[in-house]
Amino acid sequence: MTEKEKLAMIEETLDVEEGTITADTVLADLDEYDSMAKLGLIVLMDDEFGVKVTGDMVKGFKIVADILAVMNK
Protein backbone atom coordinates (compact mmCIF):
# COMPACT_ATOMS: atom_id res chain seq x y z
CA MET A 1 0.00 0.00 0.00
CA THR A 2 1.37 3.41 -0.93
CA GLU A 3 1.69 6.38 1.39
CA LYS A 4 -0.92 8.19 -0.71
CA GLU A 5 -3.39 5.34 -0.10
CA LYS A 6 -2.65 5.41 3.62
CA LEU A 7 -3.14 9.19 3.71
CA ALA A 8 -6.49 8.72 1.97
CA MET A 9 -7.52 6.22 4.66
CA ILE A 10 -6.53 8.67 7.38
CA GLU A 11 -8.42 11.48 5.65
CA GLU A 12 -11.52 9.30 5.45
CA THR A 13 -11.22 8.34 9.11
CA LEU A 14 -10.77 11.96 10.17
CA ASP A 15 -13.53 13.06 7.79
CA VAL A 16 -11.41 15.69 6.05
CA GLU A 17 -11.40 16.59 2.39
CA GLU A 18 -9.24 14.38 0.18
CA GLY A 19 -5.76 15.75 -0.42
CA THR A 20 -5.82 18.14 2.54
CA ILE A 21 -3.31 16.39 4.81
CA THR A 22 0.33 15.46 4.42
CA ALA A 23 2.75 13.55 6.61
CA ASP A 24 3.73 16.88 8.19
CA THR A 25 0.18 17.92 9.12
CA VAL A 26 -0.09 18.73 12.84
CA LEU A 27 -3.03 16.78 14.24
CA ALA A 28 -3.82 19.42 16.89
CA ASP A 29 -4.43 21.88 14.04
CA LEU A 30 -7.29 19.74 12.68
CA ASP A 31 -10.72 20.51 14.11
CA GLU A 32 -11.76 17.02 13.01
CA TYR A 33 -9.13 15.33 15.22
CA ASP A 34 -11.41 14.68 18.16
CA SER A 35 -12.17 11.69 20.37
CA MET A 36 -14.30 10.01 17.71
CA ALA A 37 -11.53 10.40 15.14
CA LYS A 38 -9.03 8.90 17.58
CA LEU A 39 -11.33 5.95 18.15
CA GLY A 40 -11.68 5.59 14.39
CA LEU A 41 -7.89 5.45 14.05
CA ILE A 42 -7.70 2.66 16.63
CA VAL A 43 -10.30 0.66 14.68
CA LEU A 44 -8.60 1.42 11.35
CA MET A 45 -5.23 0.22 12.60
CA ASP A 46 -6.71 -3.01 13.93
CA ASP A 47 -8.96 -3.80 10.97
CA GLU A 48 -6.68 -2.80 8.09
CA PHE A 49 -3.19 -3.32 9.50
CA GLY A 50 -3.63 -5.81 12.35
CA VAL A 51 -1.92 -3.37 14.72
CA LYS A 52 -3.24 -2.95 18.25
CA VAL A 53 -3.11 0.74 19.12
CA THR A 54 -3.60 1.87 22.70
CA GLY A 55 -4.98 5.14 23.95
CA ASP A 56 -1.50 6.11 25.12
CA MET A 57 -0.16 5.53 21.61
CA VAL A 58 -2.89 7.77 20.17
CA LYS A 59 -2.04 10.47 22.71
CA GLY A 60 1.51 10.33 21.38
CA PHE A 61 0.44 11.08 17.80
CA LYS A 62 1.49 14.67 17.09
CA ILE A 63 1.69 14.71 13.29
CA VAL A 64 0.26 12.49 10.56
CA ALA A 65 3.72 10.91 10.08
CA ASP A 66 3.34 9.39 13.57
CA ILE A 67 0.23 7.56 12.38
CA LEU A 68 1.95 6.47 9.16
CA ALA A 69 4.86 5.06 11.18
CA VAL A 70 2.51 2.77 13.09
CA MET A 71 0.83 1.72 9.83
CA ASN A 72 4.23 0.74 8.46
CA LYS A 73 5.07 -1.60 11.34
Side-chain angles (χ1 to χ4, degrees), residues 4 8-10 17-20 22 24 35-36 38 48-49 53 59 61-62 67 72:
K4 183 174 179 159
M9 293 175 86
I10 295 169
E17 191 172 322
E18 186 177 336
T20 59
T22 67
D24 296 324
S35 59
M36 290 303 293
K38 292 173 185 176
E48 297 294 328
F49 299 95
V53 176
K59 287 179 188 174
F61 294 158
K62 301 299 179 206
I67 299 169
N72 292 328

Side-chain angles (χ1 to χ4, degrees), residues 1 3-5 10 14 16 19 23-26 29 32 38 41 51-52 56 58 61 63 68 71-73:
M1 181 176 292
E3 183 171 305
K4 183 174 179 159
E5 291 169 323
I10 295 169
L14 299 181
V16 297
D24 296 324
T25 300
V26 177
D29 292 345
E32 297 84 0
K38 292 173 185 176
L41 283 174
V51 177
K52 300 290 184 198
D56 287 338
V58 172
F61 294 158
I63 61 174
L68 292 170
M71 288 178 161
N72 292 328
K73 285 187 178 180

